[in-house]
Amino acid sequence: MDRREQPLNGFLHRFVPADAQQQTAEQETLPTLLLLHGTGGSENDLLELGQTLVPGAALLSPRGKVLENGMARFFRRLAEGVFDIADLKQRTDELAGFITTASAAYHFDPAHVIAVGYSNGANIAASMLLLHPGVLSAAVLLRPMVPLVPEPLPDLTGIPVFISAGRMDPIVIPHETDRLERLLRQCGATVTTRWHSGGHALSHEDVHEAKTWLQGRK
Ligand code: MLT
């Protein structure tokens, strides 16, 4: 997997096509996982996680375009947990455009895209749900915060969302997770939240629970 894809809509990214054999064996359309890394990450970070979560699924993994002291992110922030909302909205629009372009370039079904985001990547995935309902068919949000509260709220009826949070997370305090859960429910999403005793870093437990949740959605 050391092939380099040409940038699309200005996004450096990796794309791994769905495994046709697996798809035939399971007699279902595998989703495309949109993998969104955390601050300082890259398009390579979550490929292995994606393969573990839904074996054989197509993987679309962009690198965030914003640089903060050399670290890639998906949108600007003014301070820890204080987001530049105008930039967030613009970057969310750009990412939505990227998904559309990528679905045409790589021939995947744009109606079957599930976001898997960690930290800053989870925050732009939540922003995508709130600003562009219809782009994601489901989302796995690992250590997310409330990115913004749009007015009016979107209709996310029937959209399944999995949130994984750490009780000792110094970046995302439990209150933030509760707020996000409430906000998404208010929009009609079906939210499942799992709490861990750990902090901001992911554990095997997060992966196992997200995988089980994704399997249960079939
Ligand atoms: C963010 O800026 O999106 C959150 O604070 C998470 C992170 O540290 O990247």
Side-chain angles (χ1 to χ4, degrees):
M1 288 206 301
D2 49 9
R3 197 163 59 88
R4 289 281 135 207
E5 282 73 30
Q6 290 300 314
L8 290 179
N9 294 35
F11 280 96
L12 295 172
H13 66 281
R14 303 294 303 276
F15 179 74
V16 179
D19 180 335
Q21 277 184 348
Q22 191 112 8
Q23 192 140 309
T24 313
E26 302 209 3
Q27 295 193 323
E28 61 158 337
T29 308
L30 289 166
T32 296
L33 298 186
L34 174 71
L35 305 174
L36 301 164
H37 63 77
T39 299
S42 84
E43 65 277 25
N44 297 312
D45 283 15
L46 301 184
L47 292 174
E48 207 179 306
L49 174 66
Q51 276 160 349
T52 304
L53 289 180
V54 185
L59 306 175
L60 179 65
S61 186
R63 186 193 301 182
K65 288 185 189 178
V66 170
L67 282 182
E68 182 187 274
N69 301 322
M71 295 185 297
R73 288 175 52 82
F74 285 97
F75 57 89
R76 282 189 64 224
R77 63 178 163 186
L78 308 173
E80 177 75 56
V82 184
F83 302 144
D84 177 335
I85 298 298
D87 187 70
L88 171 59
K89 287 181 177 168
Q90 187 204 318
R91 302 286 175 186
T92 307
D93 293 350
E94 279 180 14
L95 189 61
F98 165 74
I99 297 166
T100 305
T101 306
S103 74
Y106 299 123
H107 312 291
F108 64 79
D109 181 359
H112 210 187
V113 176
I114 300 179
V116 175
Y118 168 60
S119 191
N120 180 244
N123 293 342
I124 196 149
S127 177
M128 186 69 73
L129 287 169
L130 294 164
L131 295 177
H132 288 272
V135 168
L136 301 174
S137 61
V140 171
L141 307 178
L142 308 166
R143 309 295 186 271
M145 304 162 108
V146 174
L148 78 176
V149 181
E151 277 185 36
L153 292 179
D155 180 3
L156 294 174
T157 304
I159 300 293
V161 180
F162 177 84
I163 295 177
S164 190
R167 288 253 174 241
M168 304 302 285
D169 192 332
I171 295 171
V172 185
I173 56 168
H175 173 68
E176 266 299 297
T177 307
D178 293 341
R179 271 185 69 214
L180 180 63
E181 184 182 46
R182 269 201 307 275
L183 175 62
L184 292 171
R185 286 215 171 113
Q186 214 180 326
C187 300
T190 307
V191 186
T192 302
T193 305
R194 290 279 178 270
W195 285 97
H196 298 272
S197 54
H200 201 64
L202 295 182
S203 68
H204 291 298
E205 228 182 315
D206 289 282
V207 179
H208 175 72
E209 289 179 353
K211 186 178 167 93
T212 306
W213 180 82
L214 282 161
Q215 281 167 345
R217 290 186 45 263
K218 280 180 188 170

